[in-house]
Amino acid sequence: MTVRKGKKLTISIQEHMAIDVCPGPIRPIKQISAYFPPTGGGGGGTLSAMSSMDTSIEIDSCDSDDSTSLGILEFDLLYERATSSLHCTVLRAKGLKPMDFNGLADPYVKLHLLPGACKANKLKTKIVRNTLNPVWNETLTYCGITEEDMYRKTLRVSVCDEDKLSHNEFIGESRVALRRLKPDQTKHYKICLEHPPPLPSPSAMSVALRGISCYLREIEQQRSLEERGRLLLSLHGLCVGVRRCAHLAAMDVNGFSDPYVKTYLKPDIHKKSKHKTAVIKKTLNPEFNEEFFYEISLSELSTKTLEVTVWDYDLGKSNDFIGGVSLGCHSQGDALRHWVECLKNKGKKVERWHTLTNELPGSTFHD
């Protein structure tokens, strides 16, 4: 560049661009997904859950230094169709990120089913002390998992460090879309742990994204209201077996419930058909294993409706209604199929899981 005496200093556009260039390494171009932050926090964000449906990463495809530094986790998944149960066998972890002053950690594994209430769906392994390469070989089981659940739910597997003096610390996680599993076939996973989805920045979200976020959050709330847990019932002619419940809604401030089950055979003119199980304290997955017998003929049974409700016991005040199911000729879905199977197979015990709902048609509840 040459400047003559007495003339104003000018710089061409090419020279300006050359001067303005920032030296340093070339930064990667952001993907489009980076401009759409997921909504909701760690456990149950709808967008984060949707975006992570198909992102469980096998070890062979894990090439990010940021994720490999958190460690590697091995586990097996098995869905048993006959028992409606999902088994997760947590095997081991390697190269976990140090979390304590001694350069080690006290790791354990937590499982959550998404979407779903956090307390009711949380399972955890034992804690292995002072290691970055823990071995658990522990099987955690979810009961009452239907094939519909397997299609729409995601399993969140996270590794945490237990800390007695403060809050437990998060190490890393992975998410597995359960629809990838084939029934009655064990699938082995060896995955790199990842950071949790980032929390949204309200200032960075456009009006459209905020609208989508609110819409999806509303859908998620509706789902959580519809499903209040699962109930395993067995019917054998006139004998009703209340086996167990799973994933019940938490009704107490401690995050649990004190559940018990009531059964009615309606219409009940003389109000003599009520039976109640024992109360199981502080649990969302109670086991009852109680049976009740109704002294009526099988022909009369076909005109009746069995109403089964689950309650939370409260000392000194009204008990809280958790959910219920109605079985009879006017029922729908699994409830109707269970009732018909019971009437057809008079000499056989028929078991089935039922989804508890907030309300039963035509019922008024009085404890």
Side-chain angles (χ1 to χ4, degrees), residues 4-251:
R4 294 183 180 178
K5 187 177 180 180
K7 289 198 173 185
K8 186 177 179 180
L9 177 64
T10 59
I11 302 176
S12 67
I13 184 66
Q14 291 86 353
E15 291 169 325
H16 174 76
M17 290 179 65
I19 294 170
D20 199 39
V21 168
C22 286
I26 299 175
R27 297 181 179 179
I29 299 174
K30 286 187 177 181
Q31 297 180 356
I32 191 170
S33 60
Y35 295 94
F36 294 89
T39 63
T46 306
L47 281 179
S48 62
M50 291 173 62
S51 64
S52 62
M53 280 289 191
D54 296 311
T55 56
S56 57
I57 302 177
E58 305 283 344
I59 185 66
D60 294 338
S61 62
C62 185
D63 56 2
S64 168
D65 291 337
D66 195 31
S67 61
T68 52
S69 64
L70 300 178
I72 297 169
L73 180 66
E74 289 188 56
F75 58 93
D76 293 335
L77 290 180
L78 170 64
Y79 176 64
E80 290 185 349
R81 179 182 285 165
T83 59
S84 299
S85 55
L86 174 66
H87 306 281
C88 178
T89 301
V90 183
L91 300 173
R92 64 185 65 84
K94 294 181 180 179
L96 293 180
K97 179 181 177 182
M99 305 299 290
D100 298 336
F101 291 116
N102 60 3
L104 300 173
D106 302 316
Y108 64 94
V109 174
K110 288 194 304 184
L111 304 181
H112 289 94
L113 277 178
L114 306 176
C118 198
K119 275 278 187 183
N121 285 300
K122 183 175 73 173
L123 299 176
K124 58 189 293 188
T125 67
K126 62 186 178 183
I127 300 168
V128 182
R129 301 285 180 187
N130 296 323
T131 181
L132 301 180
N133 301 285
V135 176
W136 289 283
N137 287 327
E138 189 173 344
T139 299
L140 306 176
T141 300
Y142 284 103
C143 297
I145 304 299
T146 64
E147 293 188 51
E148 180 186 356
D149 292 328
M150 295 298 294
Y151 180 78
R152 69 182 184 88
K153 286 186 178 288
T154 295
L155 180 66
R156 180 193 184 207
V157 185
S158 54
V159 181
C160 300
D161 168 60
E162 197 257 357
D163 196 331
K164 293 181 178 179
L165 300 179
S166 62
H167 295 294
N168 295 343
E169 296 180 289
F170 179 87
I171 297 178
E173 70 167 41
S174 182
R175 303 190 182 197
V176 179
L178 295 182
R179 64 171 177 265
R180 293 181 173 184
L181 295 181
K182 295 181 180 180
D184 304 313
Q185 294 184 22
T186 301
K187 185 170 182 180
H188 180 72
Y189 290 85
K190 188 176 181 180
I191 51 90
C192 293
L193 295 173
E194 301 174 315
H195 293 283
L199 293 172
S201 171
S203 60
M205 295 178 69
S206 65
V207 175
L209 280 178
R210 284 199 299 270
I212 293 173
S213 170
C214 293
Y215 171 72
L216 292 174
R217 192 181 301 115
E218 184 176 341
I219 291 178
E220 184 62 30
Q221 290 173 350
Q222 290 175 356
R223 282 181 178 174
S224 65
L225 289 175
E226 290 170 2
E227 292 192 12
R228 309 280 289 191
R230 300 288 167 84
L231 172 67
L232 179 59
L233 286 177
S234 69
L235 300 181
H236 184 196
L238 309 179
C239 184
V240 179
V242 181
R243 298 303 174 202
R244 64 191 304 179
C245 294
H247 326 315
L248 291 180
M251 307 301 289

Side-chain angles (χ1 to χ4, degrees), residues 237-238 265 296-305 339 342-343:
L238 309 179
L265 200 58
I296 61 173
S297 64
L298 286 172
S299 59
E300 189 181 359
L301 184 63
S302 61
T303 65
K304 296 284 188 176
T305 296
W339 191 251
C342 168
L343 296 178

